[in-house]
Amino acid sequence: MALVRVTTWYLEMTERPARARSAPHGMQIEQLRRPSARAYRPLYDAVGGPWHWVDRRKLGDEALEAILLDPRVEVFRLTAGAAPDELAGYFELDRRVAGACELAYFGLVPAWIGRGIGGWFLEEAVQRAWDGAPERVFVHTCSLDHPRALAGYERGGFRTYDVAEATITLERA
């Protein structure tokens, strides 16, 4: 375990951006209907493991499923068409805050980072977030996430509305 200083950026958008990109060949986005904790955890670990995502690991199955089975929470996975079972990424939309949609989790598995699909995938997540007609869509990222995460969200139309600093204990190296 190690103490580290972490910066967290809170970002939002208040208008739906225009759709600009077409889907890369062979990429498929599928909504997972009522995923169990057992089905969800591999997505979370595959995408978030390198970036020290731990919040959902701390939850027991019952607590996690209480979130996942809420009709205001939607989980989508990205697969590669050439290998339809190959996970490329996932995102989660959380509409439990009235008038808003949080892009609660978003990312690609390490093998798919740098292949030119991240911008398109973020655009797809944002478009689906706006399908619920919220007043705003928001997300946060931190200095433990991928080094290009903040810039990617900004290119995707998000604007920073707050920044916080904290010292945390990393649970894994």
Side-chain angles (χ1 to χ4, degrees), residues 89-146:
Y90 97 102
F91 65 88
E92 181 178 328
L93 302 176
D94 187 338
R95 301 176 194 281
R96 293 179 295 168
V97 173
C101 181
E102 179 181 12
L103 179 55
Y105 294 95
F106 172 86
L108 298 171
V109 299
W112 286 93
I113 294 172
R115 293 190 182 190
I117 63 170
W120 163 81
F121 189 44
L122 178 60
E123 184 177 291
E124 289 296 314
V126 166
Q127 290 297 325
R128 290 168 198 239
W130 281 106
D131 285 348
E135 296 169 16
R136 74 191 263 265
V137 173
F138 67 101
V139 66
H140 72 272
T141 189
C142 74
S143 53
L144 295 176
D145 278 337
H146 189 281

Side-chain angles (χ1 to χ4, degrees), residues 18-84:
R19 187 180 296 265
R21 305 169 204 230
S22 57
H25 179 72
M27 303 311 292
Q28 300 289 326
I29 298 174
E30 166 193 16
Q31 183 174 357
L32 302 180
R33 305 286 181 189
R34 301 181 54 81
S36 67
R38 184 177 174 176
Y40 178 87
R41 290 188 192 282
L43 302 176
Y44 185 85
D45 290 341
V47 171
W51 315 114
H52 303 283
W53 291 6
V54 297
D55 294 343
R56 294 290 174 86
R57 286 188 187 142
K58 294 177 182 178
L59 297 176
D61 287 353
E62 188 175 307
L64 179 55
E65 287 178 355
I67 296 167
L68 297 173
L69 299 179
D70 188 308
R72 298 167 295 178
V73 174
E74 302 165 299
V75 178
F76 296 84
R77 72 180 189 144
L78 175 66
T79 57

